[in-house]
Amino acid sequence: MTQFTSSDAASSAETVTPVSADLTGRTALISGGSRGIGHAIAVALAARGANVALVAKTDTPHPKLAGTVHTAVEDICAAGGNGLAVVGDVRRDEDVSAAVERTVETFGGIDILINNASAIDLSPTEGLDMKRYDLMHDINVRGTFLLSKLAAPHLRASAARHRADAPAGGGESGFTPQILTLSPPLALAEAGLDPVWLGKHLAYTMSKYGMSMTTVGLAEELAADGVVVNSLWPATYIDTAAIRNLATLAGEQGEAMIRGARRVEIVADAAVAVLSGQMTSRDGEGGQRPISGAFLTDEQVLRHLGITDLADYAVDPGSELIPDAFL
């Protein structure tokens, strides 16, 4: 497990070996993505030429939330990529299997998997309905595990293809297949897990930490096959429908919550950097290799690339940013 810290970051843009963010011909499968962070990542990948398949339940418009899996694919195509909408629920084995199969049939393989779908309920233990508990664990933990499990053979095949395409006489093809999961770093204390986030909202924390544990395990399991696995998490609140719903419940404090958030584009830009191989670490021979098994924040990724002025991402640059949970 890698806890990425500021000491790991490059001190300036000149110390980073940039890798092209051109993802033309690469295929990404994303769970969720009808709106919010997943949608922003999908559009950002499409703008770099990627094929993007979305598996999501939003077949028809929600009365209070804009966007469906179909309108998201329209946005993907408008951004310059090729899109595929798969209506499905990550809690259903047959839906997840169908999403993987249709992605491979349509685009010829899978190069990137993004575990974005997630459910949230911050109720304390005694106030949480077990249906909500099951929902969070079925989507967050089981859904992430199952989608990763079924996509893994295709990611291995992608890695083999890219090794075969590497330049003669050595070198890399410039792309490494990857799983990226939207989940938080595991908060650690000297004796193990820090209880602070488990104490705040136990059921939700258990489900998000379950997603993060897949990053640790799969990074180790797939390392020999040339597939890298990382987690990405926002450093601050992000202006999404979920946060706006929480803000509505917060009453007078709600407006401050939105002002203290950043726009979804910061997570999308960080995701593109990670997925295109711009987050690297030194190998034993003094070269660079894509980082794997890391817990990253959007802010850390951009600072690693030498981007230190993040004011343009703020909803209100004059307001104090609100740190996200788990940090």
Side-chain angles (χ1 to χ4, degrees), residues 2 4-5 7-10 13 15-20 172 174-176 178 228 230 270 273-283 286-292 294 296 300-301 304-305:
T2 303
F4 192 84
T5 65
S7 63
D8 298 308
T15 66
V16 177
T17 302
V19 177
S20 173
E172 298 292 337
F175 177 80
T176 302
Q178 183 167 162
V228 302
N230 294 295
V274 176
L275 294 167
S276 60
Q278 297 181 57
M279 291 298 294
T280 61
S281 59
R282 291 180 176 83
D283 59 26
Q288 298 286 322
R289 62 182 178 187
I291 196 168
S292 187
L296 308 164
Q300 288 169 330
V301 171
H304 181 79
L305 300 182

Side-chain angles (χ1 to χ4, degrees), residues 22-28 41-54 71-85 106-107:
D22 180 8
L23 294 170
T24 301
R26 314 302 185 197
T27 295
I41 294 174
V43 171
L45 294 176
R48 275 77 175 181
N51 308 314
V52 183
L54 303 178
T71 59
V73 165
E74 291 174 2
D75 294 339
I76 287 167
C77 295
N82 298 307
L84 172 67
T106 303
F107 299 121

Side-chain angles (χ1 to χ4, degrees), residues 29 55-57 86-102 146-147 150:
L29 172 58
V55 53
K57 296 191 303 178
V86 181
V87 178
D89 187 336
V90 296
R91 294 174 292 175
R92 293 170 53 88
D93 293 14
E94 57 268 37
D95 288 2
V96 177
S97 179
V100 171
E101 291 173 3
R102 286 193 58 194
L146 177 60
L147 189 55
L150 296 184

Side-chain angles (χ1 to χ4, degrees), residues 24-27 110-112 154-167 171-178 225-226:
T24 301
R26 314 302 185 197
T27 295
I110 297 173
D111 304 299
I112 294 167
H154 302 287
L155 293 165
R156 286 193 180 98
S158 173
R161 288 195 302 271
H162 287 100
R163 283 196 297 269
D165 291 341
E172 298 292 337
S173 65
F175 177 80
T176 302
Q178 183 167 162
D225 298 306

Side-chain angles (χ1 to χ4, degrees), residues 302-324:
L302 296 180
R303 292 190 187 283
H304 181 79
L305 300 182
I307 303 170
T308 57
D309 185 358
L310 306 178
D312 286 347
Y313 290 113
V315 171
D316 178 3
S319 295
E320 183 176 355
L321 294 168
I322 301 175
D324 209 316

Side-chain angles (χ1 to χ4, degrees), residues 127-213:
L128 182 70
D129 185 284
M130 290 308 293
K131 288 184 178 180
R132 294 293 298 174
Y133 177 96
D134 290 341
L135 178 71
M136 287 191 288
H137 284 258
D138 284 349
I139 293 176
N140 301 0
V141 188
R142 191 179 190 278
T144 294
F145 182 91
L146 177 60
L147 189 55
S148 300
K149 165 188 166 68
L150 296 184
H154 302 287
L155 293 165
R156 286 193 180 98
S158 173
R161 288 195 302 271
H162 287 100
R163 283 196 297 269
D165 291 341
E172 298 292 337
S173 65
F175 177 80
T176 302
Q178 183 167 162
I179 297 174
L180 185 65
T181 297
L182 278 294
S183 68
L186 299 174
L188 302 176
E190 289 185 9
L193 282 175
D194 190 324
V196 59
W197 295 109
L198 291 161
K200 286 182 180 293
H201 28 67
L202 176 58
Y204 177 60
T205 298
M206 288 169 65
S207 71
K208 296 304 291 188
Y209 278 4
M211 295 175 73
S212 297
M213 289 174 69

